[in-house]
Amino acid sequence: MSSNLCLWNKGAIRAEAFRLGAVAFGCSEARPVDSRFKQFYDHWIAAGHNGSLDYMRRYGDVRHDPRLLLPGARTVISMAFPYRPAGGYHHPFIADYALGADYHIVLRQRLFALARFIFDNFGALSRPCVDTAPLPERYWARKSGLGWIGLNGQLIVPGVGSGVFLGELITTLQLAPDSPLEGDCGRCGACLRACPGHSLRGDSSLDARRCLSCLTIEHRGPLPPHVDLQGHYYGCDECQRACPHNAGEPPAPLPEFDPDPRLLHFDSACAANITSSQWRRLTARSAMNRISAAQLKRNIQHKKDS
């Protein structure tokens, strides 16, 4: 394949990704992750920083080599899609990303559309990955030049911020790799100071045992008595709201991610008598369907032991 044709392929795919709603796009060669990342990740797991995120321990071989997800894989395409509500619409105790439609469904549809585009135009196979595959998304996004990983562990896209979902296509099509974006947060530390659970470790990772997002969503059973949720129902955006890269007006989110008014105005009074079936109906299209009505009430009612 000539270099000109390879560049034309990449340009056409990039244009289609942006047409589908991406705000950042980049490519990396499909190969094992570098030894530095693997060592850091393995030490993070060994120290128990994954907390209730048991799935982070599984499929280590696949997590460290994307080629195991698709035979013949040659390229990892990384994309970022905005979700942060425009106009300053936020819920004080629900993470922004959960106020709209479930991103797993929305992004999967768009990534399958891009995979179809690649197959129809170039005859290559692709596998879409949206969060659930054992793929270190931020690693590949940084390596593909989309942004850098901030002190809060989030990917920061220049001019956009961290209010983005990441999606990947692993494809058998060879595309020229992009250069990693070298950036960092310097001495800012605003997210470290804002984290209510003091979970951020200062090395772009967190301790899930202290993270309010992990505790309100992933932790099953009673919460540890020392935990102070500070009113959070589902997730936590405090580190992102403190980040100066999120201070400006965000790019318009995909229309599916516009906040559902029922969730935007949901409060503890609404939760008090909600039944399991009512909760399932309310959250049927939201990422909030990951927790049950009982878990929601646990979060709202939890009080830290004095």
Side-chain angles (χ1 to χ4, degrees):
M1 180 183 297
S2 72
S3 59
N4 288 338
L5 181 59
C6 182
L7 289 173
W8 187 89
N9 290 353
K10 184 176 177 181
I13 295 167
R14 184 197 305 271
E16 181 65 8
F18 276 83
R19 189 189 71 80
L20 290 167
V23 291
F25 173 101
C27 299
S28 295
E29 179 187 357
R31 58 181 298 174
V33 300
D34 61 53
S35 58
R36 182 179 178 182
F37 172 82
K38 184 179 185 301
Q39 183 179 48
F40 182 88
Y41 186 87
D42 290 345
H43 286 171
W44 184 80
I45 289 290
H49 293 307
N50 60 307
S52 300
L53 309 179
D54 292 334
Y55 60 85
M56 302 292 283
R57 294 181 175 274
R58 301 193 289 267
Y59 306 111
D61 53 342
V62 180
R63 193 178 301 278
H64 296 321
D65 190 347
R67 298 173 300 179
L68 297 178
L69 287 166
L70 179 69
R74 304 180 78 177
T75 303
V76 178
I77 301 174
S78 294
M79 291 156 282
F81 296 82
Y83 70 79
R84 197 157 59 97
Y89 292 106
H90 299 291
H91 190 292
F93 304 129
I94 297 175
D96 287 343
Y97 80 85
L99 294 173
D102 188 340
Y103 67 96
H104 299 92
I105 298 171
V106 174
L107 294 195
R108 194 173 291 119
Q109 292 171 341
R110 292 176 186 253
L111 293 183
F112 270 112
L114 187 60
R116 172 58 64 180
F117 175 87
I118 292 173
F119 181 79
D120 289 347
N121 287 276
F122 311 114
L125 299 177
S126 304
R127 175 170 176 172
C129 298
V130 183
D131 191 27
T132 53
L135 192 74
E137 296 182 305
R138 295 180 183 93
Y139 169 88
W140 289 106
R142 190 202 69 81
K143 193 173 181 66
S144 300
L146 271 64
W148 73 89
I149 300 175
L151 288 173
N152 62 356
Q154 303 294 314
L155 184 81
I156 297 176
V157 180
V160 175
S162 62
V164 294
F165 294 122
L166 300 178
E168 299 78 37
L169 277 186
I170 301 173
T171 180
T172 58
L173 184 65
Q174 183 175 7
L175 296 171
D178 291 287
S179 299
L181 182 61
E182 299 300 334
D184 61 55
C185 298
R187 298 185 178 182
C188 174
C191 60
L192 304 181
R193 295 187 294 273
C195 178
H198 305 289
S199 67
L200 301 178
R201 303 179 60 239
D203 59 0
S204 298
S205 73
L206 58 78
D207 187 338
R209 296 167 297 189
R210 303 185 63 88
C211 173
L212 301 197
S213 184
C214 296
L215 289 167
T216 56
I217 300 170
E218 302 294 341
H219 187 83
R220 301 297 183 257
L223 290 163
H226 67 274
V227 167
D228 184 357
L229 296 182
Q230 299 190 22
H232 289 77
Y233 303 170
Y234 185 98
C236 176
D237 279 340
E238 301 305 327
C239 66
Q240 296 198 81
R241 292 178 185 174
C243 178
H245 294 283
N246 293 330
E249 184 69 11
L254 302 184
E256 296 96 326
F257 298 142
D258 286 340
D260 182 333
R262 299 173 302 167
L263 294 175
L264 192 59
H265 299 104
F266 192 86
D267 59 19
S268 57
C270 299
N273 297 309
I274 197 168
T275 66
S276 293
S277 59
Q278 289 170 335
W279 176 250
R280 286 196 298 271
R281 287 195 297 271
L282 176 63
T283 61
R285 297 182 61 254
S286 163
M288 288 185 73
N289 62 21
R290 187 166 180 81
I291 69 171
S292 65
Q295 198 172 342
L296 169 77
K297 293 177 181 180
R298 176 206 67 179
N299 294 344
I300 293 175
Q301 295 167 4
H302 178 77
K303 301 296 182 185
K304 175 184 177 182
D305 281 2
S306 57

